[in-house]
Amino acid sequence: MAFCKSKALEGRISLYTGLCIEEIAVNTLDYNSGISREDKEIKVLVFYENHDISLMIRDNYPQMDPMKLLKRYDNSDDPFKGLGLRMVTKVAKNVNYSSALNMNVLTVSNIVCNNSSDTAGGTVRSR
């Protein structure tokens, strides 16, 4: 991912950042597959501060809380249901959803760094 390379962040953090963006965007598109995409957008903002990567993913699709969706998948017989969202919650210390002004906002904070002592799988919140 070009952003991570520009900050000299290689390896695992670059991979996880790209995977988080891809999984959340694909999930948004899949969940809204039956509606017109005209005038719809997904905006990804990437923040780098104090050696931490955070994402803010906003879209103007109908309200959809991916964290509630993930809870529904917990009892599924299909082990692959919600796999991408589960991966996001495992590589980030915080995942928060909110909805305001007809926008879905998912914030993914503190994606795990290359330091093997870093841990993830932190707080998941819906508002």
Side-chain angles (χ1 to χ4, degrees):
M1 191 173 158
F3 177 85
C4 290
K5 287 183 181 180
S6 76
K7 302 294 182 191
L9 300 169
E10 299 279 344
R12 189 167 55 155
I13 194 164
S14 182
L15 174 69
Y16 287 169
T17 300
L19 282 171
C20 287
I21 293 168
E22 181 179 351
E23 290 300 332
I24 293 165
V26 166
N27 190 65
T28 299
L29 295 173
D30 283 351
Y31 188 81
N32 293 291
S33 63
I35 68 167
S36 169
R37 292 190 178 152
E38 188 175 328
D39 299 324
K40 298 295 181 196
E41 67 180 19
I42 299 172
K43 184 175 282 193
V44 178
L45 302 168
V46 183
F47 302 95
Y48 176 71
E49 186 175 10
N50 298 326
H51 304 288
D52 285 322
I53 292 279
S54 294
L55 307 171
M56 180 184 290
I57 298 126
R58 296 185 316 201
D59 70 74
N60 62 347
Y61 282 85
Q63 185 173 356
M64 188 244 346
D65 181 346
M67 299 301 98
K68 286 184 181 175
L69 191 62
L70 186 59
K71 286 179 185 174
R72 277 195 263 156
Y73 293 152
D74 284 346
N75 296 322
S76 175
D77 291 335
D78 184 349
F80 297 103
K81 281 281 194 191
L83 187 62
L85 288 174
R86 266 193 273 285
M87 186 270 311
V88 170
T89 64
K90 295 295 183 188
V91 301
K93 291 184 181 172
N94 294 295
V95 180
N96 296 299
Y97 170 81
S98 63
S99 178
L101 302 172
N102 295 320
M103 298 289 286
N104 294 298
V105 180
L106 191 66
T107 306
V108 180
S109 304
N110 305 98
I111 296 172
V112 172
C113 301
N114 284 326
N115 183 343
S116 61
S117 66
D118 285 342
T119 57
T123 308
V124 176
R125 292 189 181 100
S126 295
R127 293 183 192 163

